[in-house]
């Protein structure tokens, strides 16, 4: 009797597992549908955009230590600026040991309370999807791939490498070509240095959005992304231009990867631009969703 009962239970479990597997296999995959205000925006590419001298100046700046404590993980970019309202009500007190009990929350810059990370939107999507490669990895590996490093500089004249680059006629012409016809180029307002160590990626995202009455200096960036996706605030949207320029020297792209990728429509496929040395890519980064495939994806 006991054996029969056990066999029956085993059969029931096997049947349930088989049914679950069948449902999983046959259920259509639910793909994110991007709103139309994020689609069909131009991506311009210019080879040899950086001169040899400019690329070397940027590499020297990175090596020099002049960035001080500004080279942080992208989860700590708020160390480079201050957000007047760092949460919208979700903040909780720190635990007695200085940690946050909820797995979505982190200590704020002053370690006075727990808040959502500034780009929780980017992190949550990557951890659920596995990024452009659909990687199925443990959380610690995914987090390590996600947390690339960067310096976010809002005084563009602070470092000669950037000040000189922004004054070059080639830079101005390329930026102007990327601007909407109705909104001519104004002036540079930010410079970033992004560093990916082997194994790291840049997850799918839109850049920090600017509205006439809201920016990263007012509210968290994840809220700005929600506002842009909603299309409810497009009448106050401020266009911007990002130029991604590669200052590295290596050119074996097929082995190292790290391509710039972007989604121009809802077909599910993405466009791709190889990260050739000194190449420039121009776009309004706050409109097309874009990312970078892992640099040296074979490394953990």
């Amino acid at each position: 009797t006991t054996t029969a009962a056990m066999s029956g239970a085993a059969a029931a479990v096997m049947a349930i597992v088989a049914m679950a597997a069948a449902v999983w296999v046959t259920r259509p995959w639910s793909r994110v549908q991007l709103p139309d205000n994020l689609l069909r925006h131009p991506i311009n590419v210019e080879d040899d955009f950086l001169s040899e001298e400019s690329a070397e100046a940027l590499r020297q700046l990175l090596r020099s230590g002049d960035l001080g404590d500004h080279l942080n993980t992208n989860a700590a970019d708020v160390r480079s600026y201050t957000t007047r309202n760092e949460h919208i009500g979700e903040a909780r007190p720190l635990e007695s040991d200085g940690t946050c009990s909820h797995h979505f929350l982190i200590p704020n810059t002053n370690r006075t309370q727990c808040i959502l990370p500034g780009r929780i939107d980017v992190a949550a999507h990557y951890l659920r999807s596995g990024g452009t490669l659909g990687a199925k990895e443990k959380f610690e590996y995914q987090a390590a791939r996600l947390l690339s490093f960067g310096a976010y500089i809002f005084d563009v004249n602070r470092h000669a490498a950037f000040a000189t680059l922004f004054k070059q006629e080639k830079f101005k012409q390329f930026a102007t070509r990327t601007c909407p016809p109705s909104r001519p180029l104004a002036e540079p307002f930010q410079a970033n240095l992004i560093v990916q160590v082997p194994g790291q990626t840049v997850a799918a995202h839109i850049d920090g959005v600017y509205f006439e009455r809201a920016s990263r200096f007012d509210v968290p960036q994840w809220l700005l992304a929600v506002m842009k996706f909603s299309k409810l605030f497009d009448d106050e949207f401020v266009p911007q231009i990002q130029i991604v320029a590669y200052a590295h020297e290596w050119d074996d792209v097929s082995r190292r990867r790290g391509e710039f990728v972007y989604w121009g429509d809802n077909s599910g496929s993405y466009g791709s631009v190889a990260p050739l040395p000194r190449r420039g890519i121009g776009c309004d980064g706050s409109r097309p969703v874009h990312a970078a495939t892992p640099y040296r994806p074979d490394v953990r």
Side-chain angles (χ1 to χ4, degrees):
T1 305
T2 303
T3 303
M6 290 178 63
S7 298
V13 170
M14 289 175 65
I16 291 171
V17 170
M19 185 178 297
V23 171
W24 176 258
V25 170
T26 58
R27 195 185 85 178
W29 184 257
S30 177
R31 185 180 299 280
V32 172
Q33 292 294 299
L34 296 173
D36 55 13
N37 61 343
L38 300 181
L39 303 178
R40 294 175 291 277
H41 294 291
I43 305 291
N44 295 317
V45 179
E46 183 165 329
D47 290 337
D48 300 322
F49 170 73
L50 289 178
S51 66
E52 294 280 6
E53 294 76 18
S54 291
E56 178 59 27
L58 292 169
R59 292 193 294 268
Q60 287 296 332
L61 174 60
L62 186 60
R63 301 185 186 115
S64 67
D66 288 348
L67 296 172
D69 60 353
H70 288 281
L71 193 63
N72 301 296
T73 70
N74 53 28
D77 66 325
V78 289
R79 293 181 181 177
S80 301
Y81 60 92
T82 301
T83 301
R84 190 156 47 94
N85 303 289
E86 60 184 4
H87 67 89
I88 61 169
E90 78 282 358
R92 297 183 182 181
L94 288 168
E95 298 296 309
S96 57
D97 61 356
T99 63
C100 298
S101 58
H102 196 284
H103 59 283
F104 277 167
L105 302 180
I106 62 171
N108 64 353
T109 304
N110 298 326
R111 301 194 68 86
T112 56
Q113 56 187 349
C114 297
I115 62 173
L116 288 171
R119 294 313 303 258
I120 184 64
D121 56 317
V122 178
H125 178 265
Y126 179 80
L127 294 174
R128 290 183 177 127
S129 69
T132 54
L133 300 183
K136 307 298 185 289
E137 298 180 306
K138 293 182 179 179
F139 172 80
E140 54 266 33
Y141 294 137
Q142 285 186 305
R145 289 194 189 279
L146 188 60
L147 295 176
S148 57
F149 301 88
Y152 302 86
I153 302 162
F154 295 92
D155 178 2
V156 296
N157 294 313
R158 177 178 175 181
H159 301 288
F162 284 120
T164 301
L165 176 61
F166 288 153
K167 292 175 183 176
Q168 292 177 3
E169 195 60 34
K170 189 174 186 178
F171 180 94
K172 295 178 182 178
Q173 290 176 358
F174 188 43
T176 301
R177 180 155 58 92
T178 309
C179 283
S182 61
R183 304 291 289 266
L185 177 67
E187 60 183 13
F189 67 95
Q190 182 180 345
N192 298 344
L193 270 175
I194 306 300
V195 178
Q196 291 173 250
V197 301
Q200 288 189 326
T201 186
V202 176
H205 67 287
I206 57 174
D207 293 337
V209 187
Y210 281 78
F211 297 98
E212 291 177 2
R213 293 183 292 170
S215 73
R216 72 177 74 206
F217 304 108
D218 302 300
V219 296
Q221 288 198 63
W222 62 261
L223 180 58
L224 297 170
V226 170
M227 292 168 65
K228 182 58 182 172
F229 269 73
S230 76
K231 303 193 291 185
L232 297 175
F233 305 89
D234 278 359
D235 59 333
E236 295 196 20
F237 173 72
V238 179
Q240 54 181 291
I241 298 302
Q242 276 75 33
I243 296 180
V244 177
Y246 297 103
H248 59 255
E249 297 178 276
W250 52 266
D251 59 4
D252 52 335
V253 175
S254 61
R255 182 176 74 89
R256 299 190 187 230
R257 304 295 301 277
E259 298 94 338
F260 178 94
V261 298
Y262 58 94
W263 286 262
D265 55 41
N266 277 316
S267 67
S269 60
Y270 53 73
S272 177
V273 181
L276 297 180
R278 301 190 294 112
R279 170 174 275 178
I281 303 170
C283 67
D284 182 342
S286 62
R287 289 198 269 192
V289 174
H290 58 283
T293 62
Y295 168 62
R296 297 282 308 279
D298 55 305
V299 177
R300 279 185 171 178

